[in-house]
Amino acid sequence: MPTNEIKSKIEAGRAVLVGVDAGDMRDGECEISLEELRRLLDTAGGEVVATMVQSRQTPDVRTYIGSGKLIELAELCENNDIDLAVFDCELTPSQIRNIEDELDGVRVIDRSMLILDIFALHATTAEGKLQVELAQLKYTAPRLIGKGTQLSRLGGGIGTRGPGESKLESDRRHIKRRVIALEDELAELAVQRKTKRAARDRSGIQKIAIVGYTNAGKSTLLNRLTDAGILAEDKLFATLDPTTRKFSLPSGDDVLLTDTVGFIRRLPHHLIKAFSSTLDEAVCADILMIIVDASDPEYPAQLEVTENLLAELGAGDKPSLIVYNKCDREASNVPAPTTEHGETRKSVCISALTGQGIDELSQAMEELVRAGKKKIKYLIPNSEAGAVSTLYSLAAVDEVDYGAEYITAYATVDARVRGMMVRYEAQDGSNPPLPKKEEW
């Protein structure tokens, strides 16, 4: 079944941003989140006319901001010709209905809808478009039921890209069928992606995933290192689909670098699930290169968000390199190296735009790759000679000697291959040291 066409043309709207400063928020957190929401809306092509903040311990279950504040919001929209209200939260279906009833003609979307809208704008591959449509259907469908005359939004605008809502009002069963079809298509693509990963694993080339907060400069860095030619803009979520390119380290060894979708505060769990195949690039990588925008005063919190999401994905314990990007800017503020578990955490300062620090970055990558490999002596019984072929396919084999009972092989292996071949590892203490760097 062909995918629905995702609109790429944005119709700008005059918008008001709405947030709640709850009692459990740290000082300034609400303002920081709303500023991020402003940048999201700017990426989607909208115009922020006003911002409204309600201070209350907990959001109102019926209208999020309370009935009195909602009346004030309706007056603000009417007096300023505002046609879009963007809430910095995840609204329930009933909250959307109650708010739209009061605002009378003003479209209401929440943070998740806005992010999905940007994903729809930037999805370019077939898989990316399928993921966007599936996420939109699963998230939006229950929020459209029961909205009566306000159900159809085919007029366009922010928050309306994707499969469209006319399908929801015409046949709910079609939505269920479409979700099943999308999940089946994505499952097939996931098998293809798994096959490609298996081929990369057999090549023995180390995989490095470039991860980090959205707009930290991941795509610019991949372009700088590999001439990948992918889109790199000063906007949030400019990159959605993963891109993998080969990069040669100073020693001449190759690694695979993969650009991934950026992280953001309060990334909805349904989005994490929908884009699992994309985020799996980080899970399946051997090394993580965490990019940080050193010019953003909020970078410590952004780094924390990134590391928390990596831990949630099951990639938190992988070898990692912190890369402080945009260090050419006057506002950049790089911290002193930190210590974790008795070891100094490796970090480098670069500017992906100007090329500053790229040589140091390449050296740091090589050190991480080198640290993950060891030269091992294997004693393989002649009756299991097939293990030598396995070793050749997964590692760099330096020497093989065929004896009367055993095949002696010396190979430089990473932790994964070493675990696979551990039963053949020589136990006589004769494993040689790693070669010197010039021999590597």
Side-chain angles (χ1 to χ4, degrees), residues 19 40 76 91 120 158 163 168 197 302 316 365 378 387 401:
L40 285 168
L76 177 66
L91 295 172
I158 296 169
L168 302 181
R197 288 201 188 106
Q302 294 172 2
M365 281 193 286
Y378 291 104
D401 180 33

Side-chain angles (χ1 to χ4, degrees), residues 151-171:
L151 186 61
S152 182
R153 299 182 181 178
L154 295 182
I158 296 169
T160 67
R161 297 183 187 89
E165 298 176 351
S166 61
K167 295 183 183 297
L168 302 181
E169 60 187 346
S170 65
D171 189 354

Side-chain angles (χ1 to χ4, degrees), residues 100-135:
E100 286 195 335
D101 286 346
E102 183 65 36
L103 298 187
D104 190 22
V106 176
R107 286 181 294 126
V108 175
I109 64 174
D110 59 19
R111 187 184 183 92
S112 295
M113 292 178 184
L114 181 56
I115 293 174
L116 278 170
D117 192 81
I118 296 170
F119 280 14
L121 174 67
H122 291 156
T124 57
T125 65
E127 184 175 14
K129 292 178 181 180
L130 287 171
Q131 289 172 325
V132 169
E133 185 180 354
L134 178 62

Side-chain angles (χ1 to χ4, degrees), residues 338-358:
T338 57
T339 300
E340 290 187 359
H341 308 297
E343 297 183 358
T344 301
R345 193 172 193 185
K346 185 66 177 177
S347 64
V348 294
C349 302
I350 69 163
S351 170
L353 188 63
T354 67
Q356 171 189 334
I358 294 300

